[in-house]
Amino acid sequence: MLGQDFLAECEELDAFVAQYGEADFARRTDFYGWTVRDEVMHLYFVDILMLTSIEREEEFLAWVKEIRAYQATGRELSDYMRERYRDLTRDTLVDAWRETYRRFARVFDERDPKTRMKWFGPDMSLLSAASARQMEVFAHGQDIYDLFGVERAPTDRVRNICELGVRTLGWTFKNRGLEPPPAPEVVLTAPSGAVWRWNEGGAECVAGPAVDFALVVTQRRHVDDTDIMTRGEGARRWMELAQCFAGEPSEGPPPKG
């Protein structure tokens, strides 16, 4: 199921960016000033990295060493990405991404989801990889939708991103050297109207639209700019810091108001 959700997330974004040409791909989003080209390139690059880990592990481990040596010079991974794929035109980039995400979706569906794969940090399962990839397509896609002022039609596949957001509560705090609060109850309303619950019976609570929750944990919206409600100090602090992706602590966007 996760493979199909990942594929659907990619196909939807692919169809959206298809209407924009080279000039629009050079426009900058609010995500660290990344261009549309950077956003799509990042999705392609990480898909290629993961596929290499799954299919050619030794090659992947050698690639990791190369990337870490590059970063040791003070340059960022995004710079490495831009240098590596600088010759790709808008069309060749989108075509390459499309071929890669479709191949990746097949891998998710054909292999045991418990299969372990090497990554930059701890090993992960294919199930976790599929969830992380869908989350990234959702998040970076949101940057592009926001740039062009288009509201994305919500779907219930956002549940996978909400699940990831709930599971990374501890990570959000430990990544900052902080003690995680007790897990609050999470009650989210799906686009379909279904109600999703996690940590039932928790003393504190986070509640609201599932899409808003996903936007908060991917740091595309500040909680104050959503309809997410919190009860309890720990729940509120979580929504202020929530980070469902790996990497250094990131604060996300400030409130607009």
Side-chain angles (χ1 to χ4, degrees):
M1 181 64 177
L2 266 175
Q4 291 307 303
D5 286 342
F6 163 73
L7 179 61
E9 203 77 51
C10 292
E11 296 281 12
E12 180 182 86
L13 180 59
D14 190 347
F16 181 69
V17 300
Q19 63 190 303
Y20 299 106
E22 288 280 5
D24 286 317
F25 264 52
R27 292 180 59 182
R28 296 191 177 277
T29 70
D30 288 338
F31 182 77
Y32 299 114
W34 279 23
T35 63
V36 175
R37 174 184 171 83
D38 290 334
E39 301 269 10
V40 175
M41 187 185 298
H42 174 78
L43 297 177
Y44 169 60
F45 179 40
V46 179
D47 282 352
I48 286 291
L49 281 168
M50 282 197 168
L51 278 170
T52 303
S53 176
I54 295 165
E55 299 173 346
R56 302 182 301 280
E57 185 176 290
E58 291 303 316
E59 181 180 329
F60 170 75
L61 294 175
W63 201 357
V64 169
K65 288 182 180 179
E66 177 184 319
I67 289 172
R68 285 178 171 158
Y70 181 93
Q71 292 176 305
T73 66
R75 292 172 290 181
E76 295 185 356
L77 184 60
S78 56
D79 296 322
Y80 176 91
M81 171 191 78
R82 293 183 189 98
E83 289 180 20
R84 185 177 182 90
Y85 300 114
R86 63 178 177 269
D87 294 330
L88 292 181
T89 65
R90 178 256 180 235
D91 290 345
T92 55
L93 171 61
V94 172
D95 287 347
W97 172 51
R98 183 180 302 123
E99 189 279 330
T100 302
Y101 74 64
R102 288 176 178 171
R103 182 155 57 99
F104 209 169
R106 290 195 296 272
V107 168
F108 288 144
D109 287 339
E110 292 170 358
R111 301 199 182 200
D112 184 341
K114 295 180 181 179
T115 300
R116 306 296 293 180
M117 57 174 283
K118 299 292 183 182
W119 197 236
F120 287 83
D123 294 359
M124 71 170 78
S125 67
L126 277 182
L127 186 67
S128 294
S131 179
R133 296 310 302 131
Q134 183 190 344
M135 178 273 295
E136 282 228 311
V137 177
F138 172 87
H140 289 286
Q142 188 64 50
D143 300 334
I144 300 172
Y145 278 93
D146 286 345
L147 173 66
F148 294 112
V150 176
E151 186 172 345
R152 175 168 47 186
T155 72
D156 276 15
R157 64 174 178 265
V158 77
R159 182 184 181 116
N160 299 324
I161 298 157
C162 295
E163 173 73 28
L164 184 62
V166 171
R167 287 194 285 108
T168 51
L169 180 153
W171 153 257
T172 291
F173 286 86
K174 291 176 182 177
N175 192 35
R176 291 163 170 76
L178 302 173
E179 185 67 25
E185 183 173 19
V186 179
V187 183
L188 303 177
T189 303
S192 66
V195 177
W196 300 331
R197 297 178 182 272
W198 291 264
N199 308 324
E200 291 191 55
E204 299 187 350
C205 185
V206 172
V211 171
D212 282 6
F213 180 82
L215 291 170
V216 170
V217 298
T218 58
Q219 296 192 347
R220 265 49 189 187
R221 296 287 188 275
H222 189 278
V223 62
D224 290 347
D225 295 323
T226 71
D227 290 328
I228 293 294
M229 304 295 291
T230 62
R231 185 183 72 242
E233 184 178 341
R236 170 67 189 186
R237 190 59 176 150
W238 175 33
M239 289 294 93
E240 291 174 338
L241 298 177
Q243 178 178 336
C244 72
F245 49 87
E248 295 297 317
S250 175
E251 298 308 315
K256 292 180 180 178

